[in-house]
Amino acid sequence: MVLSRKPGSRKKPSKHHTQGAHGKPKHHSKHLKKHHGKHKHHKRKHKKRPSTLHKGAPGAPLTPVAAPPPPSNSPPPVYSVPTTLAHMNRLMWRAGFGGRSGEVQAQVGRPLQDVVFEMTRPSGAAVLSGPAPTDDEGHALAPADQWGDDHCWWLDRMVRSNQQLVERMTLMWHDWFANSDDKVGDQQMMLDQNELFRAMALGSFQDLFMAVTQNPAMLVFLDGIYNDKDNPNENYAREMMELFSLGADRGAYTEDDVREMARALTGWTADWSNELGLHNFRFDPQRHDNGTKTVFGQTGNWGWEDAVRLCVNHPLHASFFVTKLWGYFIPSPPDAATLGSLQGLYLRSGFNIQAVVEAVLQHPDFYEGAEMVTPPVVYNAGLLRAVGRYVDTNAWAWLSGGAGQQLFHPPNVSGWDYTRWLDTSTAKARWELANYVTQNSYVNPWPEGGSNYPATEEGPQAMENAMAYWGNPLLSSESEARLQQFAATCLNGQTAKWEQSPYRAIRQNALRMLIATSPDMQVS
């Protein structure tokens, strides 16, 4: 049975009247004044992700080693084996959102570098093919105003864009520099940050880091606008080192570095009004600490731009960056030689993201290593692409949230815990996602006038038709055998003539769901 839309799923308080814990608006006329004088030694309350990698987990984040090998001039290894269906299936699911019908098969046998470069070196603006997204009533989405429409707006780009890797990298940066609208309280601000991630997805990490540091959503989420020379706020200073550029427990920085870095980041502010909420984000020199600061043993009158440069030029930054980025694509850590060569490539290229991504997507470990669990929103987008359906309901927001991943709402500053995508609750939610994907093409066993589904369809043909429905996904031999057995035996009982057509329609629907929710479809 197809689920109805979740009651109240479209409702959200106005961004200007979002209620706080005590019933007061989050932002009001005294908002900035109230907070500028607090949090001198504010501790982050966000729960951290575990620092260990669980076997079979997607891989993000991998913990960079405390004493990495030095950067190397040696080129990273390149996978030189002729590409197979399994290779291309993995590439299109990990570096995109799966293929439309026939797309994966069309890449088999092509030179790997050609396929990868088409993904990493897109030309011009993305082309969105297919109808624009709508809600359940056929109305255009309002991503800046309606609850869940922001999620569906981005899901639509994942489904329709011809620049699949750019959207996948945008998702990665949303997790790397995690902000949640639960605190920001302004969907347009979150959408603006999303466009920033997309525009800079494969450029310079230093430039991206600079842009994120002054981004309004980040300034709200990690209290940058409450960080002034009289009462420095340490939130962003800590996270820019621990989560964004250096990593914890590696000896990269000290608590003194956090305090001094917070002083370097002072000066940001914004205005508040009932009409506009927080706006006019800017750097105010009068709020900046112009004193001498010592960070990583280097002394100077550092400002916010220096703070970013100090991080990316730190000896332990390159190993952090390439290890964390690697972990979004490959679940096992790179060996010492690969880590050294990727660091060298990253530094020689001037902190270029594209160069490292290309090396990772051509590395043998990408194709020969362990499977990774597919994130919920990637699974959702991939199923829609497989059946050729577009975003025509806003139910995807709460359905994906139930599976553990609502866009623009990561659980904390550490982003989503990629090691815990599957449990009894989220597995059920994935079933519901697949159920919703199939609802528009569900075979009705009992239509008015009687069923006209082929009454003579045997098990092998039923299986073939169900696989074709999903674009012939790659399943393991064990899964195929179990599904073939089900198709062959589920109608073994005595059936009357009038039951033969509808029962075969029911079998077809069951096979489609069993394929979509099989273990093979949860991993790449």
Side-chain angles (χ1 to χ4, degrees), residues 135-209:
D135 63 14
D136 298 86
E137 287 76 41
H139 301 141
L141 299 181
D145 300 309
Q146 292 284 3
W147 184 94
D149 277 14
D150 49 355
H151 175 103
C152 294
W153 171 86
W154 192 3
L155 177 66
D156 170 71
R157 291 193 63 96
M158 297 173 182
V159 171
R160 293 199 293 143
S161 176
N162 69 332
Q163 297 184 2
Q164 288 281 285
L165 178 65
V166 172
E167 290 304 320
R168 194 61 187 265
M169 293 297 296
T170 304
L171 179 61
M172 189 194 83
W173 296 127
H174 179 39
D175 183 74
W176 192 304
F177 297 105
N179 287 185
S180 172
D181 194 44
D182 291 337
K183 178 173 180 179
V184 175
D186 189 314
Q187 287 178 210
Q188 185 59 60
M189 203 178 292
M190 296 294 294
L191 292 167
D192 292 343
Q193 185 187 69
N194 181 261
E195 290 288 7
L196 181 156
F197 291 148
R198 183 171 295 105
M200 307 185 76
L202 290 164
S204 160
F205 180 78
Q206 178 170 277
D207 291 348
L208 174 61
F209 201 0

Side-chain angles (χ1 to χ4, degrees), residues 11 19 58 135 146 175 221-222 253 278 296 358 382 475 503:
K11 296 181 180 179
Q19 299 297 302
D135 63 14
Q146 292 284 3
D175 183 74
F221 189 74
L222 286 180
Y253 63 90
L278 281 169
F296 309 143
E358 289 179 347
L475 301 183
Y503 279 23

Side-chain angles (χ1 to χ4, degrees), residues 32-71:
L32 298 176
K33 180 178 178 181
K34 174 183 177 182
H35 287 84
H36 282 329
K38 296 177 69 176
H39 310 309
K40 185 172 183 179
H41 299 294
H42 189 68
K43 299 294 185 181
R44 187 179 73 250
K45 296 180 180 179
H46 307 288
K47 183 180 179 181
K48 294 183 182 180
R49 285 194 279 198
S51 59
T52 55
L53 178 68
H54 297 272
K55 184 177 180 181
L62 293 173
T63 304
V65 294

